[in-house]
Amino acid sequence: MAHKFINEINPGETIDDIYMVTDPILRSTTRGDLYIAMYLSDRTGRLNGRMWQATEAVYNSLPKPGFVHIQGRSELYANNLQIVVNNVSVIDASKVNLDDFLARTDKDTDQMFEEVKKIVGQIKNPQLKALVGQFLADTELMEKFCKAPAAMKLHHSFLGGLLEHTHSMLRVAVAILPLYPQVQPDLVLAAIFLHDIGKTEELTYDMAFSYTDSGQLLGHITQTLLMINKKADALAAKGTPIDKSILDTLGHIILSHHGQYEFGSPKLPATPEAFMVYYIDDLDAKINQVTAAIDSETGDSNWTGWKNALQTKLYKKRIE
Amino acid sequence: MAHKFINEINPGETIDDIYMVTDPILRSTTRGDLYIAMYLSDRTGRLNGRMWQATEAVYNSLPKPGFVHIQGRSELYANNLQIVVNNVSVIDASKVNLDDFLARTDKDTDQMFEEVKKIVGQIKNPQLKALVGQFLADTELMEKFCKAPAAMKLHHSFLGGLLEHTHSMLRVAVAILPLYPQVQPDLVLAAIFLHDIGKTEELTYDMAFSYTDSGQLLGHITQTLLMINKKADALAAKGTPIDKSILDTLGHIILSHHGQYEFGSPKLPATPEAFMVYYIDDLDAKINQVTAAIDSETGDSNWTGWKNALQTKLYKKRIE
Amino acid sequence: MAHKFINEINPGETIDDIYMVTDPILRSTTRGDLYIAMYLSDRTGRLNGRMWQATEAVYNSLPKPGFVHIQGRSELYANNLQIVVNNVSVIDASKVNLDDFLARTDKDTDQMFEEVKKIVGQIKNPQLKALVGQFLADTELMEKFCKAPAAMKLHHSFLGGLLEHTHSMLRVAVAILPLYPQVQPDLVLAAIFLHDIGKTEELTYDMAFSYTDSGQLLGHITQTLLMINKKADALAAKGTPIDKSILDTLGHIILSHHGQYEFGSPKLPATPEAFMVYYIDDLDAKINQVTAAIDSETGDSNWTGWKNALQTKLYKKRIE
Amino acid sequence: MAHKFINEINPGETIDDIYMVTDPILRSTTRGDLYIAMYLSDRTGRLNGRMWQATEAVYNSLPKPGFVHIQGRSELYANNLQIVVNNVSVIDASKVNLDDFLARTDKDTDQMFEEVKKIVGQIKNPQLKALVGQFLADTELMEKFCKAPAAMKLHHSFLGGLLEHTHSMLRVAVAILPLYPQVQPDLVLAAIFLHDIGKTEELTYDMAFSYTDSGQLLGHITQTLLMINKKADALAAKGTPIDKSILDTLGHIILSHHGQYEFGSPKLPATPEAFMVYYIDDLDAKINQVTAAIDSETGDSNWTGWKNALQTKLYKKRIE
Amino acid sequence: MAHKFINEINPGETIDDIYMVTDPILRSTTRGDLYIAMYLSDRTGRLNGRMWQATEAVYNSLPKPGFVHIQGRSELYANNLQIVVNNVSVIDASKVNLDDFLARTDKDTDQMFEEVKKIVGQIKNPQLKALVGQFLADTELMEKFCKAPAAMKLHHSFLGGLLEHTHSMLRVAVAILPLYPQVQPDLVLAAIFLHDIGKTEELTYDMAFSYTDSGQLLGHITQTLLMINKKADALAAKGTPIDKSILDTLGHIILSHHGQYEFGSPKLPATPEAFMVYYIDDLDAKINQVTAAIDSETGDSNWTGWKNALQTKLYKKRIE
Amino acid sequence: MAHKFINEINPGETIDDIYMVTDPILRSTTRGDLYIAMYLSDRTGRLNGRMWQATEAVYNSLPKPGFVHIQGRSELYANNLQIVVNNVSVIDASKVNLDDFLARTDKDTDQMFEEVKKIVGQIKNPQLKALVGQFLADTELMEKFCKAPAAMKLHHSFLGGLLEHTHSMLRVAVAILPLYPQVQPDLVLAAIFLHDIGKTEELTYDMAFSYTDSGQLLGHITQTLLMINKKADALAAKGTPIDKSILDTLGHIILSHHGQYEFGSPKLPATPEAFMVYYIDDLDAKINQVTAAIDSETGDSNWTGWKNALQTKLYKKRIE
């Protein structure tokens, strides 16, 4: 049975479907009865839910957040649609069709990943090749790499976003590296492939996009560096260590790829390769962010609303 | 007769050649005799010059700065080489081989300009095509465009630097535009071609690189905008006006292409095309600046000296 | 018939008058019926309007924004006054008394403009005199100059504000120029007269205050510079060109009159005249902004609310 | 006997005159003999002085810095003029013509002070009038007020500079206050008169311009506030206390008159009067600083050297 | 009778108790009847109050803000609890149990003050000892010192907070001064004792925490300095003046103890003692602010909400 | 034979001793003869060295930088002492008394290290205890820890500085932790012990203080984190893994201990422990830096020279 999307619900309908519950709160009415206020959502929107005559046991059973099967009814209250919940039961995330709850790249994930592998396959330096191979061989990690978003909000914030962003950056690099012969392609390609790999540990994206504790405490830049060093340790344990100077040069590109201290880079770019990765990353992220913002505001105006991260409105009108 | 370069002069030689004189000062010795102190230079270096028993008339005749024919002798004074000038006569700049005095791109100017014309020839929008054509048809301006440096100091600061920088940016744009189908290629190509055209008025580069009064008062961003508007007025006078919205959209890319207020952009990028031109400009300038800095420091150290504009040293060592 | 002002409407009244409609949206009720939500406003305030049983044709006919004749009825809904619209027809702006919709200077516009002309009539330099004359002779532009606001929000944001601000600045300049004999009065007076003339193109103020596309893309500083250059071109075409150095010196004052890069000035003040215009502009704007803020908060407190643009509250108590 | 100015000394002359000695150091030659290195200066310049065969007693007798009578001889050493000192004796500052050592306003001090008194005589509020009177009656302080510089370096850095700057600001205020009727003139005039009075304690200017310990530890803004409060205490002791609210409103203008935290103002302007005093102060200081910089660079160039405090060069060319 | 706390009121109850009224406004209904809207609060929360059929006389009688005896009834309106006021009479603050209205330190005030006196009793320098004694002897001031909060919001914002913060800082100083023998303990202890004493004049805390006019105009740093100078004047009047250099060194610590210009310090730390006081102040404030924020967010999450002043969320999970 | 210190050499002496050579350059005289210019130094100073009639072979043999045995003669040239080198031979660093070349803590290293071990011995959490034990058991690393400087320049820039700084911070923590019972002592002590351990890899200090390539590319914050993770991996390999949440909480303190992005911290403090370590680090560093600066300027002035890193001069005068 197809999922009934939040933005398709009319007042007065019977509800019998799976939704994500967030921020449930147990409250007492002014008469002392307990009830649960909660949000019910999928990727199309969010409604208030109310379960009257609730018990503390029901409240305690609820995931915070998580998936629940809801039986109840929609109604208009003070001009807003809400769902009166009669019955609620917890659903394991594995039984849920995640696509109903999280936005997803509209590109072909498999094809992008094949192209990524093909591009990093061009790396000639045997040590960087081995290091990249170590990551590609980690199938569990590669699955996360293909599934993670590239960011919480600003750009490529959808499932597969990390892969789409990395794939796009690699294609830009392949296109412009021949124009800058002084820049070492192996370093650029390996660094782009790995630059945000720590996002797989910084973010969770099984039900909604949020930060892990580790991600919040360390940040993906540091997490990426730790992951690279673990893979290098594994290679060394196999008897094929990576030169410290290569590892540090690669690590430097990771540390400096936000380009400025204020954006969480503990080092400023100090090699041509670090500058190139920084600019390709910023270019790809901003073009995605700007075109997505323009596409999402469909009104008549020539301008989008104010974009705080860019400190401007965006102009939507095209020439011709 | 080949020019005797400053860095080839030994003490005790007879000097009879053309040099640039800068900052001449008329001074009196403690005994009351007049003499002229000056710098004599070409593109390989600069020496002190001294003309004893000078007159005010000779001093007044000197360009400040300009080219002079010097007759005299080199000598060591307090461990430094200097030139004792017996005779000085002013030389018109047209009779001077400028290559002895100013650094010059090592790329083929004609070939680059042909490629530039070919790339902007791809512009399909008839109004932008007409506007670009108006510039290409201005042969005097195009000569300057092929000759001007791209900046006083930081990047591409040599004759032909503006062309080399513009050419390189156009090639990057051609390479990556297919990867960003939402970005309008005509606007990007026209904007790159014109983005620094005002440098032809901001800078002088007939004897040395410096700012014109107009360049210092208005800056090349404003000068570029004024030049574009004059060409558009000329087109309108011919009966083929450019839509105001196209002209403003193009103008916006020019005004915002430094990306930040602190770098003299009075507007922040507000279109995908403006973001793309900003990043391509910054990428190309920084890669040139960084690789030139690395190439120019030939010592054994793995690091260059501190680069204030980048707030770091640069790492020179390559992998493998 | 006198206009019924928004802040005079009581619940339960019949409405039959002209208002400005903004942000109309066509929505469907949960039963699938179409209705239009809109704002209806004049200069005294804004109410929600609802037109039930609307059609797409009616929605399409509405200006976004613009003036409409409304027939309907006021009612209280959830404690707020709203207007139920039975009939709506578009009204041409030329038939509307603009004073009902936009705030206006309480000074005498004609008298201020006469004084402005008298003050700039003191300019002696023939070229600056000719340039200023070129503007004064452009009656269409001078009408806009007398009508435009000086800013969207912060200071002099009312019809006639640009004139009032320019007039006040000129009077300050006349008062203090004798105290600074090194400062060239002609430059200061011409620059003040023209400093914000681009606001006539940056802003619209026929129905409400907003930015034009051109204003948002280029900004009034650049627009002012383009206007000055067009007038100078016109003079040159008449055979009385303006010296480039005078034009650039004046242009520099325009470009630098915000005093800091962060405020959109692409150049910092580099002449005594540029510093004087910058300070007079800032002084006049801030005194207007501060006294207007104090006047508009009539409560008992000695302090206004927090003013974000000034990063402080303002102290209202006067000594006596 | 007229003072022999430093910039008039030729090599080989007998020296027998008063100079300021600064930074004397007792050194031993490589043979172990003691000698004293020192600077000798007046307001026209500074030369190295060397006293060979010196003793520790002579060194100890020298002021650091202070005035000394020098007997010796000028000579050229390594192309620089220096003074070989045979005899040195300490001179009391009271016996020195200070004008030989410190720059001084070229305006008439008495006349300026008379005008200052006349302008602040217009203050009508009896409490502010009494407070200002308290300062005017402090003849010792008023002498310092007429003698102190307005700053160490940037503007009005000459004897009488504080008076000249205050006088000029008061004249600007008198000229523009009628244009801003909402601004309370008594507060503005009193605040300008007193705004930098703490400079009399922040700076020393008996031999050279430098900071007092107290000035460096507290700063003139705080010192001014303390002085105002002492005078108010004195008035209160006489039975004519000043209202706390008036004292605080005046104090606020003093504290905020640098306009920004970064410039040492612990409060931002929060009254119209505070804004007016801030702008008049900045305007007067900058016009003085800019015109002085332009006047002091007499070369042919249209531009001065780079002014770090203004982040620009200054354009010297006047129109026509 | 125990106070009925705001967060204990249910709908439909009779109200007959004392509350604080803030921001009362006299409004007319759409029918022209007058009513008063107001907030009613105590330290547990705030509700809307409505008095229908009000008169201007009643409105005028209300304190703005202040304590009132309210007779009326609670009711639900649009899902929110509000109080319908039948009768309101003004109550003098002296008759109110302040603890119902303002949070208070949970430490023993008397004991903390005893320890403070004991610690500053260790000061050996006779002048600093005398100065501190002058403050301790001012019983009215010491009462305020024991009662004032340390800040409006960020840290120690409760009655007794200033004492608690000062006490804690003194204990830190006593603990670490032995580890830094170069730092002069007398200066550090005196400066800590006095560093925020101006808060007793900057803030009001009789009914709610807010700024005095004087506090807003001058700020507690300046107010502290003025208070110290008054006490020093009093000592001088008694014939035991304090050396200016000691007073200025102490004053400097006060002026610079916020450590940065942006935080309202007009001077940057320039002595070891100034650095130590700055760091101890910041350490104690931040630890209090952070632990209070963590304690106040009792939910399941490992993280608090976003803390704007700290630009981060806080991690609540403890190791064990 | 005692080392002849650079600051003890007089002109005309025979030189036969070990010095550090830096920046040797092979140059040709104007007659075409080769010579080597170099600096010769020890911890008391640096002189120019000249080796005339040098060969390329000798130049190639020189360390850049490193220790050499010099035979030659001192002479005065243009008023400066220089060393004419007749013979130069390379010396292995192991044969050099490092104390002649590098400044060293004047505290007892062994005793400080014992106290450090004793303090971190108080850690109770078994996992943190095990992790710290892993570091203490790494004798090679502990030797470096006892020998490294704490910084290149600003504070504790001498051999043993890292230990002295860490030791002092631990003592401060032990003193104040009892005053802040909410702060977890185990985390604070472990984090302080390890906070700068990466300096052992960031800096070299065998001949002079400089950065390693790795230090420059990654920085000591990242290097510390990598070292902690390696030790944790080693523990995990032994079957006693550290909880990820403990490792991340500790890692967060390391990453954030510079307190601000501009100082290279990629994360801002988000736990009470992170704030405490940040403040103790900054306090200890600044007190050391300030008192060292005051001690090193022994002149009569009450003030040191301008300290750029602190943006102020420092006041040297003590009270009484």
Side-chain angles (χ1 to χ4, degrees), chain B residues 10-11 79 300 302-303 313, chain F residues 30 59 64 77 213 216-217:
Chain B
N10 289 324
N79 236 6
D300 286 342
N302 284 342
W303 295 87
K313 298 176 177 187
Chain F
T30 50
Y59 170 77
K64 294 159 189 85
Y77 173 74
D213 281 2
Q216 192 111 311
L217 288 167

Side-chain angles (χ1 to χ4, degrees), chain E residues 210-224:
Chain E
S210 66
Y211 288 104
T212 60
D213 282 2
S214 180
Q216 192 113 310
L217 288 167
L218 304 184
H220 70 271
I221 282 188
T222 296
Q223 287 173 312
T224 296

Side-chain angles (χ1 to χ4, degrees), chain E residues 97-116:
Chain E
N97 180 7
L98 207 57
D99 285 354
D100 295 340
F101 293 91
L102 291 173
R104 180 181 289 279
T105 177
D106 54 13
K107 305 236 165 65
D108 182 327
T109 303
D110 290 342
Q111 187 186 326
M112 285 192 291
F113 188 50
E114 284 311 308
E115 283 180 39
V116 163

Side-chain angles (χ1 to χ4, degrees), chain C residues 2-6 8-10 13 15 17-19 42:
Chain C
H3 175 75
K4 176 86 169 187
F5 280 109
I6 288 287
E8 298 168 352
I9 298 176
N10 289 325
E13 296 187 343
I15 302 297
D17 211 330
I18 294 171
Y19 298 100
D42 60 23

